[in-house]
Amino acid sequence: SRSLFGLFIYTMGFVNLLVHGLGLAQVKSIRRMTCSVRMSEEKSEESLVQYARIEDAKKLLDRVSSEYEGGKMALMTRFGTSSAKVIADCFPEPANPIGIAICGSGDKGTVGFRAAEELSRMGYEMTVLDCDENPDFDEQMVRKAGLKYLDFVPGPIDAHFNFYIDAMVGTEYDNNELDQAYMSVIEKIANSERPTVSIDVPTGWHLTKGPKDEDLWRGLSLKPDLLISLGVPKVTARRFGGAFHYVVGNCLPVEVYLGDDTVACACEYFRIEAY
């Protein structure tokens, strides 16, 4: 149909931008069945997976969201739905699945809310902590979606939840000190024994350098077990040392170029794996 043809033309144009504009398609191998991309453990400058600079990633996602059918909110919803599927794949539903999405006021917070909403549909008992009055949702919307709503951090936090979704501060972070409200949440999660999921850039990480070593040692920096990059992996992900790193989004490339070969990757999300 005409609409499908138009979508194909748009997608291929986006792939061209990804491959030639940002150079994000150099990978070692990809398994079609699992949509998995490998990278070196060292994540050095010569790493076979290339990471987008924050400013490039912002421009790219701004462009995609402006052209995405349904607009930016539809794209954030898509990111959230895909993130929920990744979380469910990495951490299968336990006997008593109770999680909390800790949401800030930016796009990352919106994605966290949508992820919690989708997880709730999958059978997870989800709570949304709105720690900065996100303009895209409110308490009424959260409760209508079948989720619990909080505007404070209950303590001890591990007694209430099985896992945490960090959806607080993302690429809008300016590398300055975070508000104390965020820091208190980060400290509680960083010292938790429960698994942590970070949406895009982990809250509090420097946008290019990642976490400060001294903060990691002092338990003042997040150490997520699962990192979910939105649209493209950002350069700060080089410092990620957790178990799982996925890239989600309906704007992912449908083709990954491996030298002279082209491999189909028309997937909703894919995993970047270390050897």
Side-chain angles (χ1 to χ4, degrees):
S1 68
R2 184 178 301 175
S3 61
L4 287 175
F5 179 75
L7 178 59
F8 173 78
I9 295 298
Y10 164 71
T11 303
M12 292 308 296
F14 178 69
V15 169
N16 184 64
L17 173 64
L18 274 176
V19 174
H20 299 291
L22 296 180
L24 296 176
Q26 256 188 317
V27 296
K28 177 68 179 284
S29 64
I30 181 164
R31 294 200 303 271
R32 191 169 184 172
M33 293 299 293
T34 60
C35 296
S36 176
V37 177
R38 291 191 179 276
M39 65 183 177
S40 65
E41 284 184 346
E42 299 83 6
K43 304 177 188 177
S44 66
E45 292 300 322
E46 292 78 25
S47 174
L48 294 166
V49 173
Q50 293 190 5
Y51 297 83
R53 295 178 303 173
I54 295 298
E55 56 268 30
D56 290 335
K58 285 181 178 180
K59 290 177 182 177
L60 180 60
L61 293 182
D62 283 345
R63 173 179 171 181
V64 173
S65 61
S66 67
E67 300 175 359
Y68 194 81
E69 184 177 357
K72 185 176 182 179
M73 182 56 68
L75 182 62
M76 295 302 106
T77 299
R78 186 65 166 178
F79 281 159
T81 300
S82 299
S83 296
K85 293 176 181 178
V86 169
I87 293 169
D89 284 349
C90 294
F91 307 113
E93 182 180 330
N96 188 27
I98 305 173
I100 182 170
I102 307 166
C103 303
S105 59
D107 293 340
K108 179 172 172 175
T110 303
V111 173
F113 164 57
R114 294 303 180 185
E117 188 177 30
E118 183 66 19
L119 284 167
S120 178
R121 296 190 187 103
M122 296 178 183
Y124 290 75
E125 182 181 328
M126 296 301 301
T127 295
V128 169
L129 169 60
D130 184 8
C131 51
D132 201 12
E133 297 185 353
N134 189 297
D136 292 331
F137 63 87
D138 55 23
E139 181 176 358
Q140 184 177 0
M141 287 179 62
V142 171
R143 295 192 183 282
K144 188 176 181 180
L147 311 172
K148 296 181 179 180
Y149 178 89
L150 288 175
D151 56 7
F152 66 94
V153 181
I157 194 168
D158 278 3
H160 299 275
F161 305 105
N162 298 131
F163 66 94
Y164 309 108
I165 301 176
D166 157 35
M168 290 178 279
V169 180
T171 55
E172 73 275 14
Y173 178 45
D174 59 6
N175 295 325
N176 291 318
E177 290 296 322
L178 288 169
D179 292 341
Q180 185 57 40
Y182 285 120
M183 289 304 302
S184 63
V185 176
I186 288 174
E187 187 172 359
K188 289 182 179 180
I189 297 177
N191 293 283
S192 168
E193 296 182 357
R194 309 295 193 190
T196 299
V197 180
S198 278
I199 303 295
D200 220 27
V201 179
T203 299
W205 281 28
H206 191 280
L207 293 182
T208 56
K209 301 176 183 177
K212 295 179 181 178
D213 289 336
E214 60 187 80
D215 287 345
L216 289 172
W217 297 332
R218 295 165 59 199
L220 299 176
S221 181
L222 292 180
K223 295 172 286 188
D225 303 276
L226 166 61
L227 177 63
I228 301 177
S229 295
L230 302 181
V232 291
K234 282 66 172 182
V235 67
T236 190
R238 291 180 182 276
R239 291 292 310 277
F240 174 67
F244 308 103
H245 181 194
Y246 279 79
V247 182
V248 304
N250 203 33
C251 63
L252 293 175
V254 296
E255 293 176 337
V256 175
Y257 291 84
L258 305 174
D260 295 330
D261 300 323
T262 301
V263 180
C265 185
C267 47
E268 187 175 0
Y269 54 85
F270 63 84
R271 180 181 177 186
I272 297 176
E273 293 185 296
Y275 286 112

